[in-house]
Amino acid sequence: MTVDRDKKNSGAVSHFLDLARGIVPPMHPAGRPFVAGAAVATLLLRRFSKRAGVAGALLTAWVAWFFREPKRTTPTRAGAAVAPADGTVSHVVEAVPPVELGLGDTPMTRISVFLSVFDVHVQRVPVAGLVRQVSYRPGKFLSADLDKASEDNERNTVWLSTPSGHDVVVVQIAGLVARRIVCEVVEGDKVAVGQTYGLIRFGSRVDLYVPAGSRVLVEAGQRTIGGETVLAELPSEG
């Protein structure tokens, strides 16, 4: 009877842990130094004041939550370009891709997603393919919801080539508060759609450039889920 009871208890604990993992998302590795720093500060504050310690614990929990990296189920249908980030669509316009890529002056369709400090801040690969080029460019730190932020702000650009021959560009753009862009892919990498490839710390914007003729499936003001929301369908031929 004792053995059966122990097995039942063990099964209940295992089930609880599985539920917890499904509810509490994992944290992106880039957040670990910040969480560790906040935790140390909390321990120091607690020595002087319990209230300050509680405030520090809440801050530590918020930092861990900010750097969350939830699992996503990415659509697998051919030709779909998924959202590279959680946020709100701020602009859908025709625009020339970033000059540092050397893709010429032919306009592409640019879909901009604005991330508030409450959104998940990891970025996800919008299409499967090959990383052709990664370019970082310093710049200003204007509010990321402004249209001119695409040109003026600090940014990191990734040029992707799909198996069907399409060029797709995704740009991480620093915002008014965001001052650090993390990119984890390099030229020559083969990437899968929906995989995490980077992070922008504390408020930002991500631009997705798709070929002219793509069918855009979102509008300004619409919410997106990174790695899941389909922003556009690429042309049938590259």
Side-chain angles (χ1 to χ4, degrees):
M1 294 292 293
T2 302
V3 174
D4 291 341
R5 188 180 300 111
D6 289 343
K7 287 183 177 180
K8 289 181 179 179
N9 291 337
S10 177
V13 171
S14 178
H15 180 63
F16 173 78
L17 292 175
D18 288 340
L19 289 175
R21 292 190 190 100
I23 296 172
V24 180
M27 182 176 62
H28 190 277
R32 291 171 186 168
F34 293 89
V35 174
V40 170
T42 297
L43 293 175
L44 294 175
L45 288 171
R46 185 172 173 76
R47 292 185 177 182
F48 300 98
S49 168
K50 288 186 177 180
R51 289 185 177 181
V54 171
L58 291 174
L59 176 62
T60 302
W62 182 84
V63 172
W65 174 79
F66 177 86
F67 285 102
R68 65 200 185 278
E69 185 182 353
K71 294 181 179 179
R72 296 288 163 78
T73 301
T74 302
T76 57
R77 74 175 187 262
V82 302
D86 290 30
T88 303
V89 177
S90 56
H91 305 92
V92 179
V93 298
E94 298 299 310
V96 173
V99 295
E100 58 266 29
L101 297 181
L103 284 174
D105 297 330
T106 302
M108 301 177 73
T109 300
R110 188 182 74 203
I111 305 169
S112 301
V113 177
F114 173 74
L115 294 73
S116 75
V117 294
F118 301 105
D119 287 312
V120 174
H121 270 64
V122 297
Q123 281 76 62
R124 301 175 190 271
V125 176
V127 294
L130 178 71
V131 177
R132 295 285 300 277
Q133 185 177 328
V134 179
S135 297
Y136 168 78
R137 179 173 140 169
K140 299 178 181 179
F141 296 97
L142 303 175
S143 179
D145 60 343
L146 298 175
D147 185 56
K148 62 182 180 179
S150 293
E151 295 293 334
D152 296 343
N153 282 23
E154 175 180 312
R155 66 185 185 231
N156 188 79
T157 303
V158 178
W159 170 14
L160 301 166
S161 179
T162 71
S164 59
H166 290 298
D167 291 320
V168 174
V169 176
V170 61
V171 188
Q172 299 165 288
I173 301 173
L176 189 64
V177 180
R179 298 298 171 107
R180 182 72 172 91
I181 296 174
V182 177
C183 181
E184 300 169 334
V185 296
V186 296
E187 182 179 334
D189 282 353
K190 292 183 178 180
V191 292
V193 59
Q195 79 174 64
T196 299
Y197 83 92
L199 173 81
I200 313 176
R201 296 174 187 164
F202 308 117
S204 48
R205 171 173 160 182
V206 181
D207 285 348
L208 175 66
Y209 291 79
V210 293
S214 297
R215 181 188 175 203
V216 178
L217 302 178
V218 293
E219 298 179 357
Q222 185 173 335
R223 292 285 301 171
T224 65
I225 300 174
E228 290 192 355
T229 303
V230 178
L231 299 188
E233 293 178 346
L234 305 183
S236 57
E237 297 183 0

